[in-house]
Amino acid sequence: MIKNKNIFIPGGRGSIGEEVVRQLAPYNRIFILDIDEDVFNLVEEMKLKGYDVDGRVGSILDKEMLDKVRTLFGSPDWIFNCAARKYVTPMQDTPLEAINVNCIGTLNLLEFSKKYNSKFICVSSDKAVNTESVMGWSKRGAEILTKIYGGIIVRFGNVLGSKGSVIPIWQKQISNNEPLTVTDERMTRYMMTIPEAVSLIIEAAEIGIPKDTLIMKMGNPINILELAQKILKESRSSVGIKMIGTREGESLEERLMTQEEEKRAVETDKFYIIHG
């Protein structure tokens, strides 16, 4: 476990970022930057637990704000970049937003990390492999920039219970007595829980070297229709399932590596590691 470090977590109020904060705060100084003003409540919660956590509302697109982070917090030893536009469908409609946050924002943070010699972790997505969407292309761009600047990439699939994922959506639909929406009966996704994903992000950060891409082992992909059926059975709900068809930018299945990466990947117990 990383200990006694200054850790900067952009996007620390998101599902993944918040769990990174929670797992690292007991052992380190933490500074959070997030566009969500609710970052204040997370900071207050962590302070009440006795942890050295501070934060501000702000954007990674604002270079003056990044300079202010340095003034307020000091030079970070580690940067875990959890700030991203992650939804496929809305980013098809607003591609510049995906490019600005996922590419330009990442570049700003990489330049910041280089200036202060911080170890940089890019939290990426399997969407960066199967780049059929604007969001996927923008995450791929973030990965390429991270390699150029000597950072470390951690890539994984879907996270159960994260904001915008299917489980919270289905829970709301069940509460509203509405059918569970499934895009296609053939659709599959790699999935793991938020705490599992974040513990592996931290472990990958510790063992990775500059320009590494570490891909989490996530088992076999899960069929989304079968998952919906299981949720209905466990909740004893009779709302049924509604097929709505795939949306623009969505793919029926995801890949964790490209074919070229699969040839170079070194397998460990928990990761596939691609050097350089």
Side-chain angles (χ1 to χ4, degrees):
M1 175 60 72
I2 301 167
K3 293 184 178 181
N4 303 316
K5 301 294 184 182
N6 283 4
I7 299 179
F8 177 32
I9 306 177
R13 197 63 183 93
S15 301
I16 296 297
E18 181 176 326
E19 183 65 18
V20 174
V21 172
R22 294 186 186 281
Q23 290 194 24
L24 290 177
Y27 314 102
N28 303 276
R29 291 183 68 233
I30 306 291
F31 194 94
I32 308 165
L33 182 69
D34 202 294
I35 58 173
D36 187 346
E37 61 185 312
D38 197 43
V39 67
F40 169 79
N41 290 320
L42 178 59
V43 168
E44 289 302 297
E45 177 192 337
M46 293 292 103
K47 284 182 176 179
L48 287 172
K49 292 180 179 179
Y51 302 144
D52 191 351
V53 176
D54 202 351
R56 291 292 185 277
V57 178
S59 171
I60 58 175
L61 296 174
D62 185 351
K63 290 186 176 182
E64 290 184 7
M65 174 56 75
L66 296 181
D67 288 336
K68 190 173 183 179
V69 169
R70 167 59 167 67
T71 301
L72 292 168
F73 183 62
S75 299
D77 299 303
W78 297 70
I79 300 174
F80 284 80
N81 182 24
C82 301
R85 293 299 184 204
K86 66 173 188 174
Y87 296 145
V88 170
T89 302
M91 290 305 102
Q92 293 294 109
D93 299 326
T94 55
L96 188 58
E97 183 68 15
I99 293 167
N100 280 339
V101 176
N102 294 347
C103 296
I104 305 302
T106 297
L107 179 60
N108 288 345
L109 290 171
L110 285 164
E111 290 178 341
F112 181 82
S113 71
K114 184 176 181 180
K115 184 176 181 179
Y116 298 111
N117 198 29
S118 309
K119 194 169 184 179
F120 186 89
I121 311 301
C122 172
V123 177
S124 191
S125 162
D126 54 5
K127 304 295 189 298
V129 177
N130 196 1
T131 50
E132 296 182 9
S133 65
V134 171
M135 193 280 275
W137 277 111
S138 66
K139 291 298 288 184
R140 187 64 172 175
E143 288 192 358
I144 292 169
L145 288 166
T146 299
K147 281 195 174 186
I148 290 171
Y149 277 77
I152 297 168
I153 299 157
V154 184
R155 187 193 298 159
F156 53 96
N158 290 263
V159 180
L160 290 167
S162 63
K163 296 172 184 175
S165 65
V166 292
I167 299 299
I169 292 172
W170 287 343
Q171 288 172 334
K172 185 176 181 180
Q173 289 171 338
I174 290 172
S175 296
N176 294 336
N177 201 34
E178 297 171 348
L180 305 191
T181 52
V182 175
T183 52
D184 192 290
E185 63 183 10
R186 299 166 292 171
M187 184 167 285
T188 60
R189 290 292 184 268
Y190 290 96
M191 291 190 178
M192 65 171 43
T193 67
I194 294 174
E196 287 174 333
V198 170
S199 65
L200 288 174
I201 288 171
I202 295 169
E203 185 173 341
E206 291 180 280
I207 66 174
I209 61 175
K211 300 188 178 183
D212 270 0
T213 301
L214 293 96
I215 297 116
M216 295 181 187
K217 286 187 172 180
M218 301 190 70
N220 296 319
I222 296 171
N223 180 275
I224 301 302
L225 176 58
E226 292 176 2
L227 180 61
Q229 292 168 338
K230 183 178 179 181
I231 294 294
L232 285 180
K233 183 177 180 180
E234 292 181 352
S235 63
R236 298 181 180 178
S237 174
S238 58
V239 296
I241 294 172
K242 179 181 179 181
M243 307 303 296
I244 61 174
T246 55
R247 293 161 291 199
E248 186 179 357
E250 287 186 328
S251 55
L252 292 179
E253 60 183 30
E254 303 286 4
R255 296 171 59 92
L256 292 171
M257 291 182 282
T258 66
Q259 291 182 341
E260 187 273 335
E261 287 174 335
E262 287 176 354
K263 294 176 183 177
R264 296 194 293 120
V266 177
E267 184 175 358
T268 69
D269 288 343
K270 298 178 182 179
F271 303 99
Y272 296 100
I273 302 175
I274 301 161
H275 297 298

